[in-house]
């Protein structure tokens, strides 16, 4: 599988090649995701981590993963 991964201060956001370009993520978190010229989602910026998580939960093919980093338990 090919992955497109972006690392930010608070999270590592990954969109796998399972993406079908449905646009659910861009509707939920437009500051974080856009549809590229190939018709697939990609990460474009750092936004609210909760919005990124919601986009991952709503992805119909589970192509998005959000891993929080640097947070104390």
């Amino acid at each position: 599988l090919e992955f497109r991964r972006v690392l930010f201060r608070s999270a590592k956001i990954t969109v796998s090649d399972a993406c079908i370009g449905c646009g659910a993520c861009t509707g939920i978190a437009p500051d974080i995701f856009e549809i590229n010229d190939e018709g697939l989602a990609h990460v474009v910026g750092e936004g609210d981590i909760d919005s990124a998580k919601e986009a991952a939960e709503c992805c119909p093919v589970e192509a998005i993963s959000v891993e929080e980093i640097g947070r104390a338990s």
Side-chain angles (χ1 to χ4, degrees), residues 18-26 28 41 54-64:
C19 177
I20 59 172
C22 73
C25 59
T26 61
I28 294 167
E54 183 180 350
E57 290 173 6
C58 291
C59 179
V61 294
E62 299 179 354
I64 301 169

Side-chain angles (χ1 to χ4, degrees), residues 3-4 13-20 41 55-56 59-65:
F3 293 93
R4 294 171 297 282
I13 303 171
T14 305
V15 179
S16 78
D17 65 353
C19 177
I20 59 172
C59 179
V61 294
E62 299 179 354
I64 301 169
S65 66

